[in-house]
Amino acid sequence: MAAVFVLIGLVVLGLLAGTHLYLWRRFVRDVSAPGSLWRRLGTVLAVLLPVTTLGALVSGRAGAPFLVEQILAWPGFLWLACLLYLTLALLAGELVRFVLRRTPWGRARSVQAPAAEPAPAVQESARVAEPVTPAGGPSPSAGAAVPADAGPAAPEAGPAAADAGATGSAVAGPSGDGAHTVPLAAPVPSRRVFLARTLAVTAGAAGLGTTAAGAYSVLNGPTLKHVTVPLAKLGRRTHGYRVAVVSDIHLGPILGRGHTRRIVDAINGTQPDLVTIVGDLVDGSVAHLGPAAEPLRELRSRHGTFFVTGNHEYFGDARAWIDHLRELNVHPLENTRRELPGFDLAGVNDLAGEDQGEGPDFDRALRDRDTERACVLMAHQPVQIHEAVDHGVDLQLSGHTHGGQLWPGNHLAALANPTVAGLERYGDTQLYVTRGAGAWGPPVRVGADSDITVVTLAAKQA
């Protein structure tokens, strides 16, 4: 097993190295001259940024001080998102260029014109020689003209002018009262360099712009969604019951107390009857993140706030967080249930708890209940829906997927989860999956906005 993890790690490192090399070639080497400032700076960044990302990924697991985690997290995780969208933008540009080269216009442009004859040096920089009286010699006759290319100075003018024509500098004549220079035109970049710079600027703007918009989406706070779910067993008196569903808050080195405050204010503004936190609340210890979770004690609802663990709680000390949440008036449901007016609310631990002997136990949570009453189950991962169906659950509330968080991650999430986001039915059981209110890793969301959902339970008899 250890060998498999080592092999996977080597493959990931190789992929990261190859991707950074590709970006360096397109954004640095192809658009700059050797020894230029951008070539040196771009090469340094191509080494420093991936090191920062690796540090952000491993610092928490390695037990680094929390301050070090915070310092590494912002640049390291943001660059991870930039890396994805810069690479996708470059590949899209490469595809466009490939297609254009095969159009009639592209083929015509690819035909090189014959090189033009270089203009004579005397035409590039014309120097008019004034009459010169040699020391001790007779003066030349008045009005006699000496051609610019005459005499021993003429052979030197050609190489100098040719070199100036290549570099774009002016040709300087020999010193003297009558000497003057004519500046040459600046060199025009080749078509290859022009296309490389166009691709780099376009892809850079698209990739960085996408990342910036996705970061703003997270830092601006989750959006509110409203979903109505009819339940066949729900009594008429409970019709219209409002459940606030929030998941994947991911308090950590990036998202802290301000993030919690925005979520609490948004939930309280909906005036729910019940609040459910469906796992992945934190990425760290109570010692580091306890103050960030403090605003949770201000959640207000008619029947309280309930919590079930997610897989990220078990990356740290899940038991310490369960005890701390009780102090914040948040009630953990550890494979148990509560009878509320009109329905039962049950909760099961996350699958990741199995390694610590605290995995999900549906029999314990749902045994001996009145099957004539509607049952709402809190379970972090959507894959737990199959056991929920077997136990006659009416509605399962889940998170975990983030809706994919970073497009095209939604397609990868769909491979591992029966539902990525939204409401779907599995037999007589309905499953609602929220996209979550935070973000893991890069504080960026693209194509999967964060959300808090108010689920309104509807009685079919009503």
Side-chain angles (χ1 to χ4, degrees):
M1 182 63 68
V4 173
F5 282 113
V6 170
L7 181 60
I8 293 175
L10 291 175
V11 170
V12 171
L13 288 176
L15 182 61
L16 283 174
T19 303
H20 280 89
L21 178 61
Y22 171 63
L23 262 63
W24 176 82
R25 292 181 62 182
R26 288 294 182 259
F27 284 116
V28 180
R29 190 197 68 174
D30 292 354
V31 301
S32 62
S36 65
L37 176 61
W38 177 239
R39 177 69 66 92
R40 295 195 298 269
L41 179 61
T43 302
V44 170
L45 290 176
V47 175
L48 183 61
L49 288 172
V51 171
T52 305
T53 296
L54 289 175
L57 289 170
V58 304
S59 59
R61 302 291 182 89
F66 190 63
L67 179 60
V68 173
E69 290 186 58
Q70 291 177 304
I71 293 173
L72 292 173
W74 275 104
F77 284 127
L78 278 176
W79 172 244
L80 197 60
C82 289
L83 178 68
L84 171 63
Y85 291 110
L86 287 173
T87 302
L88 291 176
L90 277 177
L91 293 176
E94 304 272 21
L95 179 61
V96 171
R97 188 165 61 174
F98 176 82
V99 172
L100 288 178
R101 282 177 176 176
R102 277 149 182 79
T103 63
W105 179 85
R107 288 195 294 269
R109 293 282 293 175
S110 64
V111 178
Q112 294 184 351
E117 291 294 332
V122 294
Q123 295 179 9
E124 294 177 346
S125 179
R127 180 168 56 85
V128 179
E130 298 293 339
V132 179
T133 304
S139 300
S141 58
V146 181
D149 57 352
E156 299 178 2
D163 181 66
T167 62
S169 63
V171 178
S175 61
D177 293 338
H180 65 278
T181 60
V182 179
L184 302 178
V188 178
S190 68
R191 181 171 175 268
R192 182 186 64 82
V193 174
F194 174 77
L195 290 176
R197 290 178 178 175
T198 300
L199 174 62
V201 170
T202 304
L208 296 178
T210 300
T211 304
Y216 176 80
S217 173
V218 172
L219 300 179
N220 194 44
T223 59
L224 280 174
K225 295 180 63 178
H226 296 268
V227 175
T228 299
V229 180
L231 299 180
K233 298 177 184 178
L234 191 69
R236 295 182 62 179
R237 292 183 178 181
T238 319
H239 176 75
Y241 194 93
R242 294 158 58 82
V243 181
V245 182
V246 62
S247 180
D248 301 279
I249 296 175
H250 285 290
L251 299 178
I254 294 180
L255 301 176
R257 188 184 182 96
H259 181 59
T260 311
R261 168 60 59 196
R262 287 189 292 269
I263 291 171
V264 169
D265 290 345
I267 291 175
N268 287 344
T270 66
Q271 298 180 338
D273 298 302
L274 176 71
V275 178
T276 58
I277 303 175
V278 198
D280 278 7
L281 171 63
V282 292
D283 286 301
S285 67
V286 174
H288 294 150
L289 298 175
E294 186 66 23
L296 292 176
R297 72 166 66 249
E298 300 176 25
L299 284 168
R300 299 289 180 262
S301 63
R302 193 151 60 105
H303 294 127
T305 302
F306 294 85
F307 167 82
V308 292
T309 55
N311 54 308
H312 280 244
E313 272 74 48
Y314 294 102
F315 294 161
D317 191 345
R319 179 54 50 190
W321 272 109
I322 289 172
D323 294 339
H324 183 67
L325 287 174
R326 288 194 176 98
E327 298 175 7
L328 301 178
N329 298 323
V330 177
H331 310 291
L333 293 178
E334 300 180 82
N335 297 322
T336 188
R337 73 179 183 276
R338 291 283 186 92
E339 291 187 2
L340 298 178
F343 67 97
D344 292 342
L345 178 68
V348 292
N349 295 347
D350 187 70
L351 294 165
E354 292 177 348
D355 294 336
Q356 302 180 22
E358 299 182 3
D361 189 336
F362 283 79
D363 290 335
R364 178 181 167 190
L366 299 171
R367 66 188 173 195
D368 302 328
R369 73 179 186 88
D370 183 359
T371 57
E372 297 299 317
R373 287 169 54 89
C375 180
V376 176
L377 173 71
M378 298 168 59
H380 178 63
Q381 298 195 38
V383 294
Q384 295 172 284
I385 183 62
H386 305 297
E387 287 193 77
V389 172
D390 293 340
H391 286 81
V393 169
D394 297 281
L395 171 64
Q396 176 176 315
L397 304 175
S398 297
H400 184 62
T401 68
H402 297 207
Q405 184 169 328
L406 297 171
W407 182 92
N410 56 310
H411 299 294
L412 297 177
L415 298 177
N417 297 277
T419 298
V420 174
L423 181 68
E424 290 190 4
R425 177 177 288 277
Y426 293 83
D428 293 330
T429 303
Q430 298 180 79
L431 168 64
Y432 181 76
V433 181
T434 172
R435 290 186 173 93
W440 181 82
V444 178
R445 281 178 172 265
V446 177
D449 290 342
S450 57
D451 68 59
I452 297 168
T453 304
V454 177
V455 174
T456 301
L457 304 181
K460 287 192 173 182
Q461 297 89 334

